[in-house]
Amino acid sequence: MENTIFSILPPIIAIVMVLLTRRVLLSLGVGIISAALILTSFAPVGTLQELFTSFQIIFWDGGFNAYNVFILLFLLLLGIITAFVSLSGGSHAFADWASKRVKSRRGAKVLTVALGILIFIDDYFNALAVGQVARPITDRYKVSRAKLAYFIDSTAAPVCVVSPVSSWGAAIIGIIATILAGQTFVEYSALEAFLWMAPMNFYVIAALAIVFFVAYRDVDFGEMKKHEVNAIENGQLYDPEKSIPGEMKEEFPSHSHGRVLDLLLPILVLVAGTIAAMLWTGYQNAGQQLDIWLIFENTDVPLSLLVGGLLGTITSIVLYLLQMNKNETANAGWIGKGIWAGIKSMMGAVLILIFAWSLTYLIGALETGTYLAGIVNDGNIPVSVLPVLLFLLAGVMAFSTGTSWGSFGILLPIAGTIMIEAAPELLLASLSAVLAGAVFGDHCSPISDTTILSSTGAGSNHMDHVATQLPYALTAAAIASVGYLVIGLTGSLLWSLLAVVIILAILFVVWSQRTTILERARNAQ
């Protein structure tokens, strides 16, 4: 049943179940079992073998699977850092320090979005690092954890996908290079093509514009509005009845010896260590060539995260140990408790990620992405609508499979082959549409690893994050669709950008008026 319509059933089952029940592990588990059953034509022994393989391959894929294991270890290390920052009083001290400089709720939100854009090296790293720095500030100003997760998720992948100096950019440039190889009509390099594609990524433009506007003005819809009202009026940043990945369950002793340095130094060491390790591993893997693009193309992101995480963890523990002479609550017994509390706080995220990877493997074995990609090969489709169709198809694929990388990895070569033959002038627009759609689908998918890590970094319930981000992602996608339709019909980047900007301007005016009316109504009460 590979590469058939049946291959899309497991992700659909998992996604529908998770939206209806909001029980992520249960839904992923049902999706995994259904995928294994379909893959083996419902053979009991074969199904058990596929289930075993789907989990085994996460840790051992013909050898030690360092990529996945290092990501999981990094998550646990981040939990330990968070625990010791809390033990040291760093989170409280940073919140006090920031409240004297960030004077408003708006300032806390805009600062979070700015941090999300500035940390563009890797989306995993962005999601977790920004959450650690911004959470004490947004908590102080009663910004809901769901909105914090939205800010993190809507700046991480969108910035990485258009930044050449990032793990995403390096991988994409490598794929583009293979597409352009041997094409005599092409007058630009893979890097130049990537840079030209950035202003054609209309989803990124719309998503970043919307997230900035939402941070500056309180524009809340549906579930997000409920979370924000609860945060502002009741001080309830999240639903305490739900499991919150990354949230400390341990009651640490309170004291007044915390310093801003106790939070900032571990994070700075983590950032510096990760970037240094990325440059070093890239330099080594690139044959010790001093070429920044080659270095980022060959960098080992998981290993770099692990190195940065270890350095950050050691720093946070040392800072706690240095308090023992003056902090009456500090003692050696809390070191073991802090490590265990940090590990426990991340176990929910780790399990969700493992289940999501297992489902992704089985979906790959079912060739779900290949089946969806084959839809675009219909020769009867007009060339002018191919960019918007590729955008939507990439969105559906990323939503169904939970992986933007897997989606653009399959679709970019297909889109390149089609457009080189049918309409070379729309090649870059179509490739950009694939990247945009992959990020869009990733934003909407409850089984996406980046969505999981964004909710983890924010300390938000995973399904709360999915439900609250969806309206904003769909709005950005609708605007992007218009942009790709215009560029397909006119071939003009200027006209398509103008269409996107005009729609955004109209939307912001309408939202501003709506917000002003609501503010007046609240003031009149």
Side-chain angles (χ1 to χ4, degrees):
M1 296 187 184
E2 295 90 338
N3 195 14
T4 68
I5 193 170
F6 295 104
S7 66
I8 67 174
L9 286 178
I12 289 175
I13 290 170
I15 289 166
V16 170
M17 268 198 69
V18 82
L19 293 175
L20 292 177
T21 67
R22 297 205 167 202
R23 298 178 66 180
V24 182
L25 285 174
L26 173 65
S27 304
L28 287 172
V30 172
I32 289 166
I33 293 171
S34 64
L37 286 168
I38 292 172
L39 188 60
T40 60
S41 300
F42 297 87
V45 176
T47 298
L48 290 175
Q49 289 175 338
E50 286 296 338
L51 288 173
F52 177 77
T53 301
S54 71
F55 286 100
Q56 173 204 293
I57 206 166
I58 294 171
F59 305 97
W60 190 269
D61 184 10
F64 179 62
N65 193 336
Y67 188 100
N68 290 342
V69 174
F70 288 171
I71 292 294
L72 296 176
L73 289 175
F74 176 71
L75 277 176
L76 297 178
L77 289 171
L78 197 72
I80 296 170
I81 291 173
T82 303
F84 278 94
V85 165
S86 297
L87 269 171
S88 302
S91 297
H92 184 75
F94 183 74
D96 287 340
W97 176 84
S99 64
K100 296 173 184 176
R101 290 157 179 80
V102 179
K103 300 295 184 181
S104 65
R105 199 167 179 273
R106 175 181 292 171
K109 293 185 292 181
V110 171
L111 175 63
T112 303
V113 173
L115 286 172
I117 289 175
L118 288 173
I119 302 176
F120 54 80
I121 296 296
D122 182 72
D123 59 324
Y124 284 9
F125 180 58
N126 179 305
L128 297 168
V130 173
Q132 294 300 301
V133 175
R135 200 193 303 179
I137 308 171
T138 53
D139 281 0
R140 174 61 61 94
Y141 284 99
K142 297 181 178 180
V143 177
S144 68
R145 295 285 180 80
K147 179 161 275 189
L148 175 59
Y150 162 62
F151 289 157
I152 292 171
D153 205 0
S154 289
T155 52
V159 175
C160 288
V161 81
V162 295
S163 170
V165 188
S166 72
S167 56
W168 285 56
I172 294 165
I173 290 170
I175 296 173
I176 293 173
T178 62
I179 294 171
L180 299 181
Q183 301 300 323
T184 55
F185 71 90
V186 174
E187 298 179 355
Y188 39 76
S189 66
L191 174 61
E192 289 172 325
F194 180 85
L195 295 175
W196 274 108
M197 286 161 57
M200 298 179 188
N201 200 317
F202 304 129
Y203 179 78
V204 166
I205 293 169
L208 291 178
I210 289 172
V211 78
F212 258 114
F213 188 83
V214 169
Y216 191 77
R217 299 291 298 266
D218 287 318
V219 182
D220 304 314
F221 307 102
E223 289 292 313
M224 185 71 85
K225 187 174 182 180
K226 294 177 185 177
H227 283 270
E228 284 293 277
V229 168
N230 277 337
I232 295 169
E233 296 182 357
N234 307 318
Q236 189 173 312
L237 302 175
Y238 56 87
D239 187 345
E241 298 297 320
K242 296 176 180 177
S243 173
I244 310 295
E247 193 65 31
M248 291 294 116
K249 308 298 182 186
E250 188 82 38
E251 287 294 331
F252 294 136
S254 58
H255 57 85
S256 58
H257 298 284
R259 302 167 300 165
V260 173
L261 194 67
D262 293 324
L263 179 139
L264 287 184
L265 188 58
I267 300 299
L268 289 173
V269 169
L270 186 151
V271 171
T274 300
I275 294 174
M278 288 178 73
L279 292 172
W280 177 253
T281 57
Y283 172 70
Q284 293 296 322
N285 293 336
Q288 299 185 352
Q289 297 184 55
L290 287 174
D291 183 329
I292 190 65
W293 312 114
L294 201 58
I295 286 172
F296 271 92
E297 184 179 347
N298 289 278
T299 191
D300 190 332
V301 174
L303 176 60
S304 302
L305 288 173
L306 182 62
V307 171
L310 282 169
L311 293 174
T313 300
I314 292 169
T315 303
S316 66
I317 294 174
V318 168
L319 288 172
Y320 179 70
L321 291 172
L322 292 175
Q323 286 190 358
M324 287 191 176
N325 292 331
K326 57 181 179 179
N327 181 355
E328 63 282 355
T329 69
N331 59 71
W334 275 108
I335 295 176
K337 291 180 181 178
I339 292 172
W340 180 236
I343 291 172
K344 284 195 300 182
S345 72
M346 285 295 177
M347 285 311 298
V350 166
L351 288 174
I352 291 173
L353 199 54
I354 288 172
F355 273 53
W357 281 339
S358 173
L359 181 59
T360 299
Y361 163 77
L362 291 169
I363 288 171
L366 282 169
E367 299 181 25
T368 304
T370 305
Y371 170 74
L372 290 171
I375 297 172
V376 83
N377 283 321
D378 186 350
N380 296 321
I381 301 174
V383 171
S384 59
V385 299
L386 276 177
V388 69
L389 287 181
L390 286 166
F391 169 72
L392 296 173
L393 180 60
V396 170
M397 187 184 296
F399 180 80
S400 302
T401 61
T403 167
S404 50
W405 281 56
S407 301
F408 65 63
I410 292 172
L411 271 183
L412 280 177
I414 293 174
T417 302
I418 293 171
M419 301 314 294
I420 285 171
E421 294 295 328
E425 68 278 6
L426 292 176
L427 172 62
L428 297 186
S430 298
L431 296 179
S432 187
V434 169
L435 297 177
V439 174
F440 160 56
D442 203 54
H443 275 169
C444 298
S445 177
I447 62 174
S448 159
D449 50 3
T450 47
T451 306
I452 293 165
L453 293 176
S454 294
S455 56
T456 301
S460 166
N461 175 267
H462 178 57
M463 284 313 300
D464 284 345
H465 168 44
V466 173
T468 51
Q469 178 166 256
L470 194 59
Y472 302 101
L474 290 173
T475 302
I479 295 170
S481 296
V482 174
Y484 288 118
L485 189 59
V486 172
I487 202 169
L489 293 171
T490 66
S492 170
L493 173 60
L494 179 62
W495 283 113
S496 51
L497 275 175
L498 190 61
V500 169
V501 170
I502 289 173
I503 296 172
L504 282 170
I506 294 171
L507 185 66
F508 291 163
V509 169
V510 172
W511 281 353
S512 296
Q513 291 177 343
R514 176 180 176 274
T515 305
T516 303
I517 291 169
L518 290 174
E519 288 172 350
R520 288 174 180 170
R522 281 198 294 265
N523 293 334
Q525 291 177 351

